[in-house]
Amino acid sequence: EVKLVESGGRLVQPGGSLKLSCAGSGFTFDDYMIGWFRQAPGKEREGISCASLGENIIYYDDSVKGRFTVSSDSAKTIMYLEMNNLKPEDTAVYYCAVGRGLLVTPTHLGLNDIQHWGQGTQVTVSN
């Protein structure tokens, strides 16, 4: 069974750091394009990064560029989102997903033909 399980979300102070994990089972991340999304309260889900790990191609939304980093373990079974210098506006439920293609436009990042979503993990940035 193909499954994505996320972990690592919690309450953190502004300026702090977190590292989210997305563990895949039943596949490796080389099999798909990968993406990280988030949904803040009252807002639509937005893509913040999408990548082809096999080709070492990673895109970041301007809102997180320079602060967030996508990586994986050597076996390509766990995907990470390292978040630094967190801001209150980063508060959201964060989701990982895998799909068949990358979606990159001047205003949006995402995946085409999404195959699987993680369950989401809450990140709250607040004093």
Side-chain angles (χ1 to χ4, degrees):
E1 178 189 5
V2 175
K3 199 173 180 182
L4 294 173
V5 178
E6 300 177 35
S7 61
R10 62 176 175 84
L11 173 65
V12 62
Q13 290 187 338
S17 298
L18 276 180
K19 189 172 185 178
L20 305 183
S21 298
C22 174
S25 59
F27 70 102
T28 70
F29 287 110
D30 273 342
D31 297 333
Y32 294 102
M33 303 296 146
I34 65 169
W36 283 96
F37 300 77
R38 66 185 181 187
Q39 187 165 18
K43 294 189 177 181
E44 292 186 356
R45 189 174 301 188
E46 62 173 352
I48 57 173
S49 181
C50 59
S52 169
L53 295 182
E55 297 174 285
N56 199 28
I57 297 172
I58 306 176
Y59 296 93
Y60 296 98
D61 185 77
D62 286 345
S63 64
V64 305
K65 196 175 294 181
R67 300 187 299 124
F68 290 12
T69 303
V70 171
S71 64
S72 71
D73 68 334
S74 58
K76 302 285 178 63
T77 59
I78 305 174
M79 180 168 60
Y80 301 105
L81 179 68
E82 185 167 4
M83 307 185 292
N84 297 309
N85 190 22
L86 283 160
K87 305 175 182 180
E89 52 263 43
D90 294 319
T91 295
V93 179
Y94 283 71
Y95 300 88
C96 60
V98 295
R100 298 295 186 191
L102 298 179
L103 176 63
V104 181
T105 75
T107 56
H108 290 89
L109 291 180
L111 298 173
N112 288 319
D113 192 15
I114 292 177
Q115 299 293 300
H116 305 285
W117 287 95
Q119 84 283 3
T121 186
Q122 176 70 48
V123 173
T124 302
V125 185
S126 175
N127 287 310

